[in-house]
Amino acid sequence: MHYHAFDHYHAQESRIHHLDPRVKVLLTIGFILSNALLPDGSWLAFAAAWLLLLWANDQTRLGLGYTFRRSFVALPFAIAAVSAIFSPLGQPLAEWNLGFITLIPTDFGVVRFFSILARSWLSVQMAILLVATTQFPDLIHAFEHLKTPRTLTTIIAFLYRYLFVLTDEAYRLLRARSARSAGLPGKHRGGSLFWRAKVTGSMAGQLFLRSYERSDRIYNAMLARGYSGHIRTLNPHTMQRSDWLMLILSVLLLLFIQIIGWYR
Amino acid sequence: MLLSPTHLHIPDGFLSLVVSLIFWAATVIMVGLAISKTNKTLGEKQIPLMGVMAAFIFAAQMLNFPVAGGTSGHFLGGALAAIVLGPWAGILVMTAVVAVQGLLFQDGGLLVMGANIFNMGILTAVIGFGLYRTVSSAKKGLRLTVSGIAAWLATMAAALLASLQLWISGTSRLEIVVPAMLGVHVLIGIGEAIITVAALAFIEQTRPDLLTSEKTASSGGRSWIIAGVVVSMIAVLISPLASASPDGLERVAADFGFLDAGQGAAYQILPDYTIPFLGETALSTVFAGAVGAFILMGLLILLGRSLRRKSVTSEH
Amino acid sequence: MPVKHKTTYPLTLPDCEGDILQIHELNFAYPDGHIALRDVSLNLCSGDKVALVGPNGAGKSTLMLHINGILRGEGDVAVSGLPISDENLPVIRALVGVVFQNPDDQLFSPTVFDDVAFGPLHMGLPENEIHQRVDEALAAVQMQGFGERLSHHLSMGQKKRIAIATVLSMQPQILVLDEPSAGLDPRARRALIHLLRDLPQTMLISTHDLRMVQELFPRMVIMDEGHIVADGKATELLTDAALLETHGLEI
Amino acid sequence: MPVKHKTTYPLTLPDCEGDILQIHELNFAYPDGHIALRDVSLNLCSGDKVALVGPNGAGKSTLMLHINGILRGEGDVAVSGLPISDENLPVIRALVGVVFQNPDDQLFSPTVFDDVAFGPLHMGLPENEIHQRVDEALAAVQMQGFGERLSHHLSMGQKKRIAIATVLSMQPQILVLDEPSAGLDPRARRALIHLLRDLPQTMLISTHDLRMVQELFPRMVIMDEGHIVADGKATELLTDAALLETHGLEI
Ligand SMILES: Nc1ncnc2c1ncn2[C@@H]1O[C@H](COP(=O)(O)OP(=O)(O)OP(=O)(O)O)[C@@H](O)[C@H]1O
Ligand SMILES: Nc1ncnc2c1ncn2[C@@H]1O[C@H](COP(=O)(O)OP(=O)(O)OP(=O)(O)O)[C@@H](O)[C@H]1O
Ligand SMILES: [Mg+2]
Ligand SMILES: [Mg+2]
């Protein structure tokens, strides 16, 4: 039972797929940073950023719908920003009397709200592109070569590897529980809420213990293969000329977007 | 949204750059400390352990059980990780978890990841471990009770800090976001507490050696207690203040003189981006919130230093 | 040794239309599009003991998960005349006891007692009956007195027995066991064979252990690539070397 | 089938004093006080292929973990004349390749390449040699071209092969495999037997699969309750019904 659902990588032959993962990571972060730096209401700049995104999307050959479909993961959080519409800074646009409370949307508030949405929506799509075009192990290598502490990247590599093993295990525990969650006609079934919670907690404990003991065995496996407290890796990536070109080009585009945003 | 599993994972775009960077700084410092601490005191064996434990936190999030009304418990795991693995390892584990949630699943943004790690990994470890440590040599019943309370409080504190960050960033109104987030997390926190307690009870029953105070003692006793209790107190004090009288927070900040002292300077250092749309009052709130974060950071750094001294002396 | 018990066990197939389990043209694909079952039809009669064999990935486990509705494919599955549907599910789970291949997948409670009592508790039985059923189930697998032990600290063979007890305590009419003998040492495997021979329930057991089939099962079903490719008397199928060879089996 | 290869394989024991592995009166107790090894003595000669059998809990895995110093008991263990000690450990780990029973414990890197390269990398080999060794090891288990695959997307049998490749790439002199055939279907098991027969290394393999022993191993060691209770020609020990019976084994 494999949980493929976790892998968002889409194998495809494209220029973006072949780009050095370091470049992709830097550009994604640069893009998100650029969105954060744009002032509220710089619609033209947001539109330019969107064009850049569409272009990148097109290059990946995933189909324009791909990021779009998945881009709504962050949307539910927009509710947190709704209250920005009623910011006291700015001119009132209307007055909604709901009986117990009076809401006054302001021009400033509305601009702010939609700016937050635009930033978030653009940023999340770029992050989606990144993982769709980069195998996760390559992503880890990229962070490693961008000087993320080795301890952390190693933990993340283990996390990724055992994510599949342990979610399978969790899934099988759930399956075992539901297989025996029987009932008889005319009898209350399922026991008390407290009992159900306790069972679930035991399952968490069970899973914990298995994970813990497994880590012991893995450590032994590492020792057996010469591990001595220091993880080494080969660098499977080299920056090509095309990688540098892409990096420089994109940074220029991002600067251009900033100029549009601030001096429109 | 507040009921969705992403309730605490703030996406990109929702926090201002200042807030994002401040919390990145705090997170980087804490994670750096955690790395050097775990390398020094716990040894190489910890790396696979922390990796597998991080995967465990993920997997445990799949185990939910039906609570009333169709919501189901969603497990954060920060307190549990800190209690069982010790606070430093707990922080690293949660950092890996939040990083992968953001990178792989877009569950939480990248620029705001510092804040997400701080809320869900560092704050929960300080509260979870700090409170647990006050009773770590007590009887089983008391220990389990306290760890349940700690898990609940850690969830509440994470929700509170996330709301404050949203407010300071000018994304949400304080009087709306705080009660909404806290209200929802009262329930979610109970799920967290139940799973934490039941999991600890299970471990206690099957492998009591994993919970012996020998390991926890080596990761620093009193300073964690102080940090845990102080941070919990701050959270407990701020919550009613923020939800009952939203102006209260700002007044407190003004009374302490943070506002006057901070305003002018900040104006010059950061002239551009908060000001065009937030104005003076909002900027001052940035400080009110940041001060909380800094107090916390300072405490933790002091703590780290005292720990380091201790471990150096114990090496001889 | 292997032939010792043959005479004590009826090696004829019961003659019925499948009164306890009917599977009719079942098809199933996993969410990733992988087709795991193709037009599977299978009938079981009360008291039948049927072995399900086939190479890794043939679809045996997938088929077994359909019998108590954990997976739901296209086609008809009925247990004791009840078609699988949401409202029948609790009753069907009381009728069908599934034991997974790995006992670690089966046991999720801290103590043996908790685990064996889970099914009866969930069915809402009264407390004294729960205790009685747990005792009986543990006795059936010769694990009396293990109630307070931690499942986690048992040996593999002991865990396997407890896993079987967790479904026996529910007194199901059909036992569905997924590779119960894998990983057991020869002695534990022998004990398992004795246990299965002595249990009266209808059984469907998947295994790679064709010598166990030879010894224990009158009827055998061979699966490969999602199809049922043979269904008949074990004694006959096991002598068909060409058939076994084609499906990667050997005795 | 089982006798097919007997003639191609020398079923005589090499005649030596144990030039590659010497274990002398080894005793070991786990921290909880459980005594797992009692006065174990065992010598292996270059090219020996030795099966280690015995019931669950006999101490087979424990013994194997002593051979590359993961566990350290009381008594003498020497590999290629080097006694196990902290300074010899890196060399000994390069000499002895251990494959654990569960491939998920063995494969800890995200990709197959990373995993197979882990050993050579930590031995400090130059990059081109690492690549060459990985290619060779993958070829030996017939998994060429799997380098970029993710370990968790492989089937059980494929994982087992990769697990073996992770130690082959270190070119150890002794292969120590803990129950390599458990859970494989008959066809995969057959492929494994072929692989092991063709590898030239000295081997110590624990297994519950006595028919594999019969086919593959000239020499067999039986353990029970921490003792070595028999050590000799497999053909002879496997016909000693009383001995097998006493230690819960059967063929
Ligand atoms: N969760 C899943 N998602 C996608 N495909 C799956 C899943 N589980 C199993 N499969 C595939 O379905 C097919 C049937 O799998 P199944 O587990 O039923 O085989 P099996 O006969 O039980 O094999 P084994 O002898 O190894 O237990 C296999 O090809 C397998 O790869
Ligand atoms: N970590 C441990 N702590 C305590 N006792 C242990 C531990 N690991 C194994 N044992 C005990 O040591 C004995 C030998 O265990 P070992 O794993 O070596 O058996 P084995 O021969 O490999 O069995 P199997 O065939 O089941 O793999 C067993 O009785 C077991 O219960
Ligand atoms: Mg199966
Ligand atoms: Mg073993």
Side-chain angles (χ1 to χ4, degrees):
Chain A
M1 296 278 173
H2 289 321
Y3 258 74
H4 297 274
F6 293 143
D7 258 333
H8 291 159
Y9 175 73
H10 274 237
Q12 183 77 262
E13 284 296 310
S14 87
R15 209 179 301 168
I16 305 270
H17 280 76
H18 290 305
L19 215 52
D20 191 284
R22 276 166 287 189
V23 175
K24 286 188 268 190
V25 165
L26 287 177
L27 290 183
T28 306
I29 293 174
F31 184 77
I32 295 171
L33 190 65
S34 157
N35 292 333
L37 281 170
L38 287 176
D40 281 357
S42 45
W43 307 124
L44 204 58
F46 285 136
W50 189 46
L51 280 181
L52 178 61
L53 181 74
L54 286 179
W55 174 73
N57 201 344
D58 183 55
Q59 293 289 310
T60 62
R61 304 209 212 150
L62 291 171
L64 288 183
Y66 180 76
T67 51
F68 186 77
R69 262 197 315 278
R70 293 206 44 232
S71 67
F72 297 103
V73 285
L75 196 65
F77 215 92
I79 296 178
V82 165
S83 59
I85 295 177
F86 314 106
S87 166
L89 311 167
Q91 300 306 311
L93 294 176
E95 195 171 314
W96 300 331
N97 201 326
L98 301 182
F100 59 98
I101 192 174
T102 305
L103 294 174
I104 306 173
T106 62
D107 57 354
F108 171 84
V110 170
V111 166
R112 172 116 189 95
F113 175 70
F114 283 105
S115 301
I116 290 172
L117 286 198
R119 281 192 198 101
S120 168
W121 189 66
L122 290 170
S123 303
V124 82
Q125 290 194 68
M126 197 53 111
I128 290 169
L129 270 193
L130 174 68
V131 292
T133 60
T134 318
Q135 291 252 37
F136 198 76
D138 288 339
L139 212 53
I140 299 173
H141 282 147
F143 278 103
E144 214 154 73
H145 298 302
L146 293 170
K147 302 281 178 266
T148 309
R150 181 57 64 78
T151 308
L152 207 54
T153 51
T154 311
I155 294 176
I156 290 176
F158 273 113
L159 160 54
Y160 180 70
R161 170 70 180 92
Y162 286 96
L163 180 59
F164 296 87
V165 176
L166 296 188
T167 44
D168 268 4
E169 205 141 339
Y171 171 76
R172 291 193 301 258
L173 285 176
L174 287 171
R175 196 180 64 179
R177 185 180 62 178
S178 72
R180 281 190 274 149
S181 294
L184 294 176
K187 281 217 160 69
H188 170 80
R189 89 192 128 80
S192 66
L193 176 65
F194 177 74
W195 179 68
R196 286 206 300 274
K198 200 175 140 233
V199 169
T200 308
S202 296
M203 288 163 71
Q206 183 74 252
L207 197 60
F208 173 86
L209 213 58
R210 291 186 197 174
S211 313
Y212 192 97
E213 290 176 354
R214 162 161 271 141
S215 79
D216 240 12
R217 297 195 295 268
I218 295 161
Y219 178 65
N220 283 339
M222 292 169 70
L223 283 185
R225 282 193 269 153
Y227 175 72
S228 54
H230 177 76
I231 295 261
R232 302 175 212 195
T233 52
L234 289 176
N235 181 2
H237 309 289
T238 41
M239 291 283 281
Q240 310 286 331
R241 216 163 49 131
S242 56
D243 293 320
W244 284 111
L245 263 176
M246 183 65 126
L247 186 62
I248 293 167
L249 177 70
S250 311
V251 167
L252 289 178
L253 283 174
L254 289 178
L255 282 178
F256 180 63
I257 289 173
Q258 286 300 312
I259 293 171
I260 301 180
W262 288 93
Y263 309 98
R264 61 212 113 123
Chain B
M1 130 257 161
L2 293 170
L3 286 176
S4 81
T6 58
H7 54 272
L8 277 180
H9 295 81
I10 304 173
D12 278 319
F14 284 77
L15 293 189
S16 74
L17 199 55
V18 204
V19 174
S20 304
L21 294 182
I22 287 176
F23 279 95
W24 255 125
T27 297
V28 164
I29 291 170
M30 287 302 294
V31 170
L33 271 178
I35 288 175
S36 72
K37 289 302 294 182
T38 45
N39 281 348
K40 223 174 287 157
T41 58
L42 302 169
E44 44 181 303
K45 190 172 179 170
Q46 292 289 307
I47 300 226
L49 175 62
M50 289 187 286
V52 176
M53 283 304 117
F56 157 76
I57 300 283
F58 256 102
Q61 293 182 343
M62 290 171 65
L63 305 173
N64 43 22
F65 63 99
V67 187
T71 55
S72 55
H74 169 72
F75 186 58
L76 272 184
L80 180 64
I83 290 172
V84 200
L85 302 176
W88 296 115
I91 287 175
L92 289 184
V93 163
M94 291 308 290
T95 302
V97 169
V98 175
V100 170
Q101 281 167 337
L103 274 174
L104 201 53
F105 310 121
Q106 287 82 49
D107 201 1
L110 303 184
L111 198 58
V112 297
M113 193 180 279
N116 282 333
I117 293 174
F118 197 93
N119 300 349
M120 287 180 280
I122 297 173
L123 194 59
T124 52
V126 171
I127 293 179
F129 184 76
L131 293 191
Y132 178 78
R133 195 66 186 81
T134 59
V135 293
S136 59
S137 43
K139 280 219 179 66
K140 180 179 170 185
L142 181 61
R143 250 181 309 152
L144 291 182
T145 313
V146 171
S147 43
I149 294 171
W152 181 80
L153 207 59
T155 311
M156 294 297 279
L160 176 66
L161 188 55
S163 343
L164 293 180
Q165 288 159 348
L166 288 168
W167 162 60
I168 295 162
S169 302
T171 300
S172 306
R173 299 280 296 277
L174 187 63
E175 67 270 32
I176 294 173
V177 71
V178 170
M181 287 285 258
L182 289 187
V184 167
H185 284 85
V186 166
L187 274 183
I188 291 176
I190 290 175
E192 181 85 9
I194 291 176
I195 293 189
T196 305
V197 169
L200 282 173
F202 182 95
I203 297 164
E204 183 110 28
Q205 201 172 358
T206 51
R207 285 286 302 268
D209 55 310
L210 300 183
L211 292 174
T212 49
S213 48
E214 162 213 337
K215 176 177 57 194
T216 45
S218 72
S219 38
R222 206 165 299 141
S223 9
W224 281 100
I225 296 184
I226 296 170
V229 172
V230 168
V231 173
S232 308
M233 296 288 278
I234 294 177
V236 169
L237 289 178
I238 289 185
S239 316
L241 200 61
S243 40
S245 79
D247 299 333
L249 262 193
E250 282 165 48
R251 204 175 313 125
V252 170
D255 289 348
F256 277 94
F258 293 137
L259 298 189
D260 299 336
Q263 241 164 30
Y267 237 103
Q268 279 137 31
I269 301 168
L270 313 160
D272 278 351
Y273 44 107
T274 33
I275 292 123
F277 46 86
L278 282 186
E280 275 175 46
T281 48
L283 185 68
S284 55
T285 60
V286 169
F287 269 82
V291 157
F294 278 126
I295 291 177
L296 196 65
M297 243 171 67
L299 267 176
L300 293 169
I301 293 170
L302 280 179
L303 179 78
R305 215 171 272 153
S306 73
L307 283 177
R308 192 175 312 154
R309 212 172 301 129
K310 206 173 287 169
S311 74
V312 166
T313 48
S314 66
E315 266 166 26
H316 300 294
Chain C
M1 281 280 270
V3 285
K4 195 164 122 194
H5 309 288
K6 272 195 173 171
T7 49
T8 66
Y9 192 74
L11 274 183
T12 54
L13 305 183
D15 193 26
C16 84
E17 292 286 286
D19 56 353
I20 192 145
L21 174 72
Q22 291 119 330
I23 300 175
H24 186 63
E25 302 205 341
L26 185 64
N27 283 280
F28 178 76
Y30 277 100
D32 63 358
H34 189 103
I35 300 177
L37 296 180
R38 303 162 200 258
D39 284 334
V40 169
S41 296
L42 181 69
N43 292 323
L44 256 63
C45 305
S46 298
D48 245 2
K49 294 200 171 165
V50 181
L52 185 61
V53 304
N56 290 126
K60 304 182 294 297
S61 301
T62 309
L63 177 59
M64 292 181 143
L65 293 178
H66 276 81
I67 299 176
N68 70 345
I70 288 180
L71 295 177
R72 304 265 199 102
E74 277 169 41
D76 303 317
V77 179
V79 177
S80 234
L82 291 172
I84 289 191
S85 66
D86 284 334
E87 62 270 27
N88 286 342
L89 220 47
V91 179
I92 283 172
R93 288 191 173 148
L95 288 174
V96 181
V98 177
V99 179
F100 302 107
Q101 172 172 9
N102 186 344
D104 283 329
D105 297 342
Q106 185 91 14
L107 306 178
F108 49 79
S109 311
T111 70
V112 168
F113 178 88
D114 288 340
D115 242 327
V116 181
F118 178 91
L121 249 165
H122 198 279
M123 287 155 75
L125 297 179
E127 198 169 322
N128 56 349
E129 181 160 359
I130 292 176
H131 279 281
Q132 191 193 328
R133 284 197 178 198
V134 172
D135 291 345
E136 281 171 18
L138 288 177
V141 294
Q142 285 144 28
M143 295 291 282
Q144 302 100 318
F146 275 69
E148 293 315 306
R149 293 281 292 272
L150 307 175
S151 321
H152 188 73
H153 282 176
L154 298 176
S155 89
M156 184 63 131
Q158 293 170 326
K159 281 187 190 173
K160 287 250 167 181
R161 285 159 174 255
I162 301 297
I164 296 174
T166 62
V167 306
L168 290 183
S169 67
M170 298 169 71
Q171 299 186 352
Q173 295 188 15
I174 311 180
L175 275 179
V176 175
L177 313 186
D178 202 351
E179 303 188 19
S181 71
L184 293 187
D185 67 29
R187 188 185 299 172
R189 173 175 166 277
R190 167 79 25 222
L192 178 82
I193 291 178
H194 283 262
L195 170 66
L196 295 182
R197 210 188 41 240
D198 296 342
L199 288 174
Q201 271 96 344
T202 310
M203 284 181 198
L204 180 67
I205 298 186
S206 93
T207 182
H208 293 307
D209 182 350
L210 295 193
R211 292 192 306 147
M212 182 170 98
V213 177
Q214 204 171 36
E215 213 171 315
L216 195 56
F217 297 94
R219 179 174 162 199
M220 170 167 147
V221 174
I222 303 180
M223 283 190 84
D224 201 354
E225 300 190 343
H227 291 287
I228 289 191
V229 294
D231 180 352
K233 277 201 182 176
T235 42
E236 286 166 16
L237 295 182
L238 285 172
T239 48
D240 187 342
L243 176 74
L244 296 184
E245 176 77 32
T246 324
H247 301 291
L249 301 169
E250 63 177 50
I251 198 154
Chain D
M1 282 279 270
V3 285
K4 194 164 124 195
H5 307 290
K6 274 195 173 171
T7 49
T8 68
Y9 192 75
L11 273 182
T12 54
L13 304 184
D15 193 27
C16 85
E17 292 287 286
D19 56 353
I20 192 145
L21 175 71
Q22 292 118 328
I23 299 175
H24 187 64
E25 302 207 340
L26 186 63
N27 283 279
F28 178 76
Y30 278 100
D32 64 358
H34 189 104
I35 299 176
L37 297 180
R38 301 162 201 259
D39 283 334
V40 169
S41 296
L42 180 68
N43 292 323
L44 256 63
C45 304
S46 296
D48 246 1
K49 294 198 174 176
V50 180
L52 185 59
V53 303
N56 292 124
K60 303 183 294 296
S61 302
T62 309
L63 176 59
M64 290 180 147
L65 293 178
H66 276 81
I67 299 177
N68 68 347
I70 288 177
L71 296 178
R72 303 265 200 102
E74 276 168 42
D76 303 317
V77 179
V79 177
S80 236
L82 292 170
I84 289 191
S85 65
D86 284 334
E87 61 270 27
N88 287 340
L89 223 45
V91 180
I92 284 172
R93 288 192 175 143
L95 288 175
V96 181
V98 177
V99 178
F100 300 105
Q101 175 170 9
N102 186 345
D104 277 325
D105 295 337
Q106 182 92 13
L107 306 179
F108 44 76
S109 311
T111 71
V112 169
F113 177 88
D114 288 341
D115 240 328
V116 182
F118 186 96
L121 245 169
H122 283 78
M123 287 158 71
L125 297 179
E127 195 167 326
N128 56 349
E129 180 159 0
I130 292 176
H131 280 280
Q132 189 193 329
R133 286 202 177 192
V134 172
D135 291 345
E136 283 171 16
L138 288 177
V141 295
Q142 285 142 27
M143 297 290 282
Q144 301 100 318
F146 276 69
E148 295 312 305
R149 293 282 291 274
L150 306 178
S151 312
H152 55 261
H153 281 182
L154 301 176
S155 87
M156 184 62 134
Q158 293 170 327
K159 280 187 193 173
K160 287 248 168 181
R161 284 160 175 254
I162 301 295
I164 295 174
T166 63
V167 306
L168 290 183
S169 67
M170 298 171 72
Q171 301 186 349
Q173 295 189 15
I174 310 180
L175 275 178
V176 175
L177 313 185
D178 202 350
E179 303 189 20
S181 72
L184 295 186
D185 68 26
R187 190 182 299 172
R189 172 176 165 278
R190 166 87 16 228
L192 178 81
I193 291 179
H194 282 261
L195 171 67
L196 295 181
R197 209 190 41 241
D198 296 343
L199 289 174
Q201 272 95 344
T202 310
M203 285 182 197
L204 180 65
I205 298 185
S206 93
T207 183
H208 292 307
D209 182 350
L210 294 193
R211 291 193 307 148
M212 181 168 99
V213 176
Q214 202 170 36
E215 214 172 314
L216 195 57
F217 296 94
R219 179 174 162 200
M220 171 167 146
V221 173
I222 304 181
M223 283 190 83
D224 201 356
E225 300 190 342
H227 290 287
I228 289 191
V229 294
D231 180 351
K233 277 200 180 179
T235 41
E236 285 166 15
L237 294 183
L238 285 172
T239 48
D240 187 342
L243 176 74
L244 296 183
E245 176 77 31
T246 325
H247 301 291
L249 301 169
E250 64 176 49
I251 199 152

